[in-house]
Each structure stands twice: as C-alpha cells, then as structure tokens.
Amino acid sequence: MTAGWVEVGDRVFVRRHRELDLNCGLVVGMSGCLVVDTRSHLGEGRALAEAVRAVTPHPWAVVNTHAHYDHCFGNAAFRPADVWAHRRCVAELAGTAEQQRAHAVRDLLAAGDPAAQLVAMAPVDLPDHLVDDAAVLDVGGRAVQLRHHGRGHTGADLVVAVDDVVFAGDLVEEGAPPAMDDAFPLEWAATLTRLLAEVRGPVVPGHGAVVDAAFVAAQRDELAQLARWLTRQGTAPVFDELTRSVALARVRVPP
Ligand SMILES: [Zn+2]
C-alpha cells in the first residue's frame, strides 16, 4: 500500500478514507492518470493530490461521479486539470452546493469536527468536461469508459470503468444503506441492472469496502423491492418530501 492506495486492478487504485468512509480512485497510464472524486474540501483534495503524487508523476485529469460535496468539493486542488462529469451534474452542483455545504457544516459542527470550517470555505469548482451517455478517455494510453446508466442515487451519476474494475460512485454503497436524499428510487434498480452488465470484477462503491457483482445485485434487488412498495402505495408519480422520508426509512429497515 502506498499513501493509502490499494491496487485493485493493474495500476488501478482505491483510497478509502476515514472521513465518511469515502472511496477515491486512481487510474495510472503510461503518460497520464485519472483521479476519481476529490473529497470534501480543499485540504482533503490537496492531501489526495499529494497521495497521487506518491504513486505517479504523470499529469492528471479528474472525474466527479456525481454532484455531492464529498465527491467534488476538493476539485480546485487539481486545477489546472480537465474535470469530467455528467452534463446534468454541473447544474445539480451549481444549484445545490450551498445547501449541501450548509447541511454538511451543520452536521460537522454538531459532531465537534473542525472540518466544518474547511467545508464552509471550500470553493465550488464546477466540472468543465461533460458527458451525456458515454465517453472514452485516453488516460496516458489507457482507455477509460465513462458511462451514465440512468438516474439512481442522483440524476447525473457517472460510472468509471477500466479493464475489469468499475467505480460505481454512490450508485453502490457498502456499509450503509443507499443514500436517498437526491435519489430516483423508481429508476435506481434498472440503472444498477445496466451497470451490472459491465461488471467483470471488483466494484468500487462510493463509500465502504470494495464489493462484487453479487453485492450489487443484492442492492439492486432491495431497491427494486422499494420501488414496488412505493408503486403499491400510489406514491410513485409524486416523489415528494414525505414519500422520500418514508422511502428512506424503508431502505434503512428493509421488510
Ligand atoms: Zn452521493
């Protein structure tokens, strides 16, 4: 292990952080590298950048798997660099960053965590290289696939695939229930079914331990059960705040 990185594929690394149990990824090519997600604030982003430099001197590009602060508030630490994301991720981040910041700062303050101040000051650095359904990046001679399989954890989740490793962002979560706050629970299971079609080996969730196809299938089945329940309640067409909180409870305590 170097600087906290664990190699899960040929020159494909995962760095799992104590903070929020967040995973970041690193793909190293012959003359370039790709960083998957950038953590919660500039200080964490810089620490991640330093950890990348312990592995490779190559220039980097960045992918944000989605618009949640813990995956992208460290972006500025990597500039100048191309920052890739789904096209809708930019609007989601621009529209929600300050609300996300307020919630995160409130929770960190309540926990007595000094990171509150750092999240409060983190610059919102919007992705500028945008993907609709799919793109292939040349990462120093290696082909890396970016794919949007449909809405799920958010409206703009991107999956990063290289060789047999898939970085799923928060479409897959280990160690905690899937986070529903900005989710599309009626569509999430179908999105995971499409994601599963490209799983050949390890799946790196946005948070928690690296998992496999069987884990993703089990989470998909749980989300499908939730969607059926929501539909039976007649709440499917209008997924309002009340429904969302019920869904949240439902996912936390599956029937
Ligand atoms: Zn998220």
Side-chain angles (χ1 to χ4, degrees):
M1 191 193 292
T2 303
W5 296 105
V6 174
E7 192 167 20
V8 291
D10 176 28
R11 291 163 296 146
V12 180
F13 301 86
V14 177
R15 193 167 192 255
R16 183 175 174 183
H17 301 89
R18 183 177 53 80
E19 296 83 359
L20 302 174
D21 206 5
L22 177 83
N23 289 318
C24 293
L26 174 65
V27 180
V28 180
M30 292 297 287
S31 56
C33 67
L34 181 70
V35 177
V36 182
D37 289 337
T38 62
R39 310 183 65 192
S40 298
H41 56 72
L42 196 50
E44 285 189 353
R46 285 178 177 149
L48 180 64
E50 213 170 284
V52 172
R53 280 292 167 254
V55 175
T56 173
H58 297 324
W60 50 47
V62 168
V63 180
N64 294 147
T65 56
H66 62 291
H68 284 155
Y69 81 99
D70 48 327
H71 300 259
C72 61
F73 271 22
N75 281 356
F78 293 87
R79 298 292 193 178
D82 296 351
V83 178
W84 292 83
H86 189 269
R87 188 174 302 281
R88 286 194 300 271
C89 176
V90 178
E92 288 188 7
L93 182 55
T96 66
E98 292 314 317
Q99 191 185 14
Q100 290 190 54
R101 185 199 306 281
H103 287 163
V105 167
R106 182 197 61 200
D107 293 347
L108 289 164
L109 283 175
D113 190 327
Q117 185 67 19
L118 300 169
V119 174
M121 295 186 317
V124 177
D125 194 329
L126 298 175
D128 47 18
H129 285 63
L130 307 183
V131 180
D132 290 309
D133 291 333
V136 182
L137 304 190
D138 178 352
V139 177
R142 295 184 83 169
V144 177
Q145 317 280 336
L146 306 184
R147 292 207 189 91
H148 174 67
H149 289 296
R151 302 192 294 188
H153 172 67
T154 70
D157 301 292
L158 266 194
V159 169
V160 181
V162 56
D163 298 341
D164 68 347
V165 180
V166 170
F167 292 92
D170 287 359
L171 283 171
V172 178
E173 186 152 349
E174 192 279 332
M180 305 298 298
D181 309 55
D182 299 312
F184 292 83
L186 301 181
E187 301 171 35
W188 197 337
T191 297
L192 285 186
T193 295
R194 287 187 285 273
L195 186 157
L196 272 165
E198 71 171 341
V199 172
R200 306 276 179 274
V203 177
V204 182
H207 303 263
V210 174
V211 298
D212 58 11
F215 180 95
V216 177
Q219 197 151 90
R220 183 268 317 272
D221 293 346
E222 191 176 298
L223 287 160
Q225 190 176 30
L226 168 68
R228 282 194 297 275
W229 178 82
L230 284 172
T231 304
R232 275 203 309 274
Q233 305 307 305
T235 48
V238 186
F239 194 70
D240 58 12
E241 278 307 308
L242 176 64
T243 318
R244 195 177 299 275
S245 62
V246 171
L248 188 64
R250 191 73 174 179
V251 164
R252 289 196 192 290
V253 189

